[in-house]
Amino acid sequence: MHLLLVEDDHLVAEGLCRSLRQQGYSVEHSSTVKSAMQWLQNDEIELVVLDLGLPDGDGIDILKHIKKHRKNLPVVILTARGSIDDKVMGLDLGADDYLAKPFDPAELFARLRVASRRLTQAQTSTLKVGDVEMDTAAFTVSFQKEPVNLPRKEFMLLKALLENQGRVQSKQQLENKLYEWGEEVGSNTIEVHIHHLRKKFPKEFIKTLRGIGYVVGKR
Amino acid sequence: MHLLLVEDDHLVAEGLCRSLRQQGYSVEHSSTVKSAMQWLQNDEIELVVLDLGLPDGDGIDILKHIKKHRKNLPVVILTARGSIDDKVMGLDLGADDYLAKPFDPAELFARLRVASRRLTQAQTSTLKVGDVEMDTAAFTVSFQKEPVNLPRKEFMLLKALLENQGRVQSKQQLENKLYEWGEEVGSNTIEVHIHHLRKKFPKEFIKTLRGIGYVVGKR
DNA sequence: GCGAAACTTAAATAAAACTTAAGAAAAATT
DNA sequence: AATTTTTCTTAAGTTTTATTTAAGTTTCGC
């Protein structure tokens, strides 16, 4: 799990980095508002630990920025300021948690676990045509609820078909979807893959339109 | 929004009830473990504020009960005990937040807003798939109740798999979870770690989807 | 029935994953 | 601080599986 630590005190930062890594996080560290903003461009950051007292700006701005652009990126605020107004402000701006210095690392870790647990929820993108269901995120396919195992190319081909239910696609079009641009295919791969797919699904599931192409689903 | 306040000090309770209602919550109040448990039968309770020091039992038991029966009911713990161990314990059991007495009501309200804002379900810090159980807080793993000792990297890899039960993850995705940003991995570490994990669990526990990735659990 | 297009099959080729083992790095112990 | 132990990374060799190819066969529309 990738975590961004925004902390200007180098001593504190160093110690925290080490112990966070020990906890299993991949830690990136910035000590300025500017570099923090840059790191936040990176979509793979999944968790932020944010110190509010920074030299070149206010941490609250970072928080605002995060909540504007990446609503559900969890942020744990860390600060020396202990006033209640600060806390309330931080939480209302969308921080998920708040910790006043000095704090025990164990408590930070516990709070981070809570925050990341919240994160582990999946969004499913499923395609369905007849009894055939595909979850493109999980790379799973099922026919009449029974899981079907498909090699990569077959999976991609089926996906291309399902995504265009009812629309006929030529072999050429399908080829373009399965292969890189430069990658010439000098044979009948699509036909072969179609053949393999047909063995795993009802015979008439993938229809042929001679001279035109292939379709799946209603027409 | 229906909120259950579990608090034995009648003076505190009375004040809190009033101000929580002022905040717009419908507040139910219990001052004992027993009555709290009864209230929790009611599905309409959407939020719990829980004082840990109760006369006829331990508030932690209520928390355990809640997390067992209603995983995603948010709980904010309230207590005079200020020790960090208590905090960690509460959070690891699935509490969503923690507040030490004395506290400013404004902070409690802010934290409640945070808690109710998340409709996403949280779980406790243990993951389980088949006979394999992991306590991410304690860093322990067991197979058929027998403890299994895993080095850090193997632990993290297994954790990544368990957290995504039923979802296939590519080697690249797994790598991203185990390694720092800049840290290029110029080899087949994931394969090697998978190999080692497989020696410690049933052969088919971690499934390979050639060209796609690895999964654990149902499919 | 003829020719083009699609289907089937099997072998050859290529790609991915598994297994080892050894050396490097990190952690624990003295 | 030095030594020992454990864990991690690399890389090469091996096995397994996927993909492409190509040749033979069938099907379809004219």
Side-chain angles (χ1 to χ4, degrees):
Chain A
M1 167 135 331
H2 291 280
L3 179 153
L4 175 65
L5 170 65
V6 186
E7 163 69 69
D8 64 316
D9 182 327
H10 275 280
L11 260 175
V12 176
E14 208 169 300
L16 270 181
C17 276
R18 183 168 313 119
S19 42
L20 285 168
R21 287 185 178 127
Q22 199 119 42
Q23 290 292 311
Y25 295 99
S26 302
V27 183
E28 293 307 335
H29 168 227
S30 3
S31 47
T32 65
V33 171
K34 210 172 147 193
S35 92
M37 292 298 199
Q38 282 183 332
W39 270 115
L40 288 170
Q41 302 301 310
N42 191 325
D43 286 345
E44 290 173 62
I45 298 285
E46 294 166 279
L47 206 51
V48 177
V49 175
L50 175 62
D51 183 355
L52 287 188
L54 296 177
D56 66 338
D58 197 322
I60 285 285
D61 293 334
I62 300 183
L63 181 56
K64 284 182 187 162
H65 178 269
I66 290 173
K67 288 304 156 180
K68 194 169 171 194
H69 298 291
R70 292 184 58 186
K71 271 198 191 56
N72 31 18
L73 176 64
V75 179
V76 174
I77 288 182
L78 212 64
T79 184
R81 308 184 204 170
S83 94
I84 279 154
D85 279 349
D86 274 0
K87 292 194 187 183
V88 172
M89 191 172 163
L91 291 170
D92 278 342
L93 278 172
D96 292 76
D97 216 327
Y98 189 96
L99 222 60
K101 293 182 189 175
F103 58 88
D104 185 313
E107 191 176 349
L108 173 61
F109 301 151
R111 288 180 184 277
L112 286 176
R113 280 194 293 274
V114 172
S116 60
R117 204 188 290 147
R118 223 173 273 143
L119 199 66
T120 317
Q121 96 243 223
Q123 76 282 37
T124 40
S125 38
T126 71
L127 293 166
K128 189 175 174 183
V129 172
D131 287 341
V132 177
E133 254 177 297
M134 165 179 285
D135 182 330
T136 54
F139 276 103
T140 56
V141 179
S142 63
F143 167 55
Q144 292 177 348
K145 304 287 177 196
E146 283 303 309
V148 177
N149 214 314
L150 296 184
R152 204 173 16 170
K153 280 272 149 66
E154 285 174 37
F155 183 91
M156 287 161 66
L157 177 55
L158 180 60
K159 180 169 165 225
L161 290 169
L162 294 180
E163 277 172 344
N164 292 280
Q165 167 177 190
R167 194 166 312 127
V168 185
Q169 297 178 91
S170 69
K171 270 187 287 204
Q172 189 53 57
Q173 284 176 304
L174 292 168
E175 239 172 50
N176 291 341
K177 291 184 182 183
L178 300 212
Y179 298 92
E180 297 296 320
W181 282 48
E183 206 175 357
E184 298 294 317
V185 186
S187 77
N188 61 343
T189 20
I190 298 294
E191 287 173 14
V192 176
H193 287 313
I194 290 278
H195 176 57
H196 289 148
L197 279 174
R198 281 185 172 148
K199 290 202 224 165
K200 298 173 185 175
F201 298 101
K203 196 67 208 295
E204 283 307 298
F205 181 62
I206 299 173
K207 281 164 289 236
T208 301
L209 281 91
R210 196 160 255 261
I212 304 171
Y214 299 94
V215 223
V216 117
K218 64 146 208 298
R219 297 202 69 234
Chain B
M1 168 144 318
H2 292 273
L3 179 154
L4 175 65
L5 170 65
V6 186
E7 164 64 76
D8 62 325
D9 182 328
H10 276 280
L11 259 176
V12 175
E14 206 170 308
L16 271 180
C17 276
R18 183 170 311 121
S19 43
L20 283 168
R21 286 184 180 126
Q22 200 121 46
Q23 292 291 313
Y25 295 101
S26 312
V27 184
E28 296 303 335
H29 169 229
S30 21
S31 49
T32 64
V33 172
K34 208 171 149 191
S35 90
M37 293 297 199
Q38 283 183 332
W39 270 114
L40 287 169
Q41 304 300 311
N42 189 328
D43 287 345
E44 291 170 84
I45 297 286
E46 296 168 81
L47 207 49
V48 177
V49 175
L50 175 63
D51 184 356
L52 287 188
L54 296 177
D56 66 335
D58 198 331
I60 285 285
D61 292 332
I62 300 183
L63 180 56
K64 283 184 188 162
H65 178 269
I66 291 172
K67 289 304 153 181
K68 195 170 171 193
H69 299 290
R70 293 185 59 185
K71 268 198 192 58
N72 33 18
L73 177 63
V75 179
V76 174
I77 288 182
L78 211 64
T79 184
R81 307 185 207 168
S83 95
I84 279 155
D85 279 350
D86 269 4
K87 293 193 185 185
V88 172
M89 191 173 167
L91 291 169
D92 278 343
L93 280 172
D96 291 75
D97 214 332
Y98 190 98
L99 219 60
K101 291 183 191 175
F103 58 89
D104 184 318
E107 191 176 349
L108 171 60
F109 302 148
R111 290 182 183 274
L112 286 175
R113 283 192 289 276
V114 173
S116 55
R117 197 190 294 152
R118 31 181 118 98
L119 304 159
T120 37
Q121 64 244 31
Q123 310 152 4
T124 52
S125 59
T126 68
L127 293 165
K128 188 175 174 184
V129 172
D131 288 341
V132 177
E133 250 177 300
M134 166 179 285
D135 182 331
T136 55
F139 279 102
T140 57
V141 179
S142 63
F143 168 55
Q144 292 177 349
K145 304 287 179 197
E146 284 303 308
V148 177
N149 209 308
L150 295 184
R152 242 185 317 285
K153 278 274 148 65
E154 284 173 39
F155 182 90
M156 285 161 65
L157 177 54
L158 180 60
K159 178 168 164 231
L161 290 168
L162 295 179
E163 276 174 343
N164 292 280
Q165 166 176 189
R167 184 162 309 112
V168 185
Q169 297 180 92
S170 68
K171 271 187 287 205
Q172 188 55 60
Q173 284 177 304
L174 293 168
E175 236 171 51
N176 288 342
K177 291 183 182 185
L178 300 213
Y179 298 92
E180 300 290 321
W181 283 110
E183 203 177 0
E184 298 293 316
V185 187
S187 76
N188 60 344
T189 21
I190 299 294
E191 287 172 17
V192 175
H193 287 312
I194 290 277
H195 177 57
H196 290 146
L197 279 173
R198 281 184 172 149
K199 290 197 205 163
K200 298 173 185 175
F201 298 101
K203 196 67 209 295
E204 284 307 298
F205 181 61
I206 299 173
K207 280 165 289 236
T208 300
L209 281 94
R210 197 159 255 259
I212 300 170
Y214 298 95
V215 223
V216 118
K218 65 146 209 298
R219 294 198 71 231

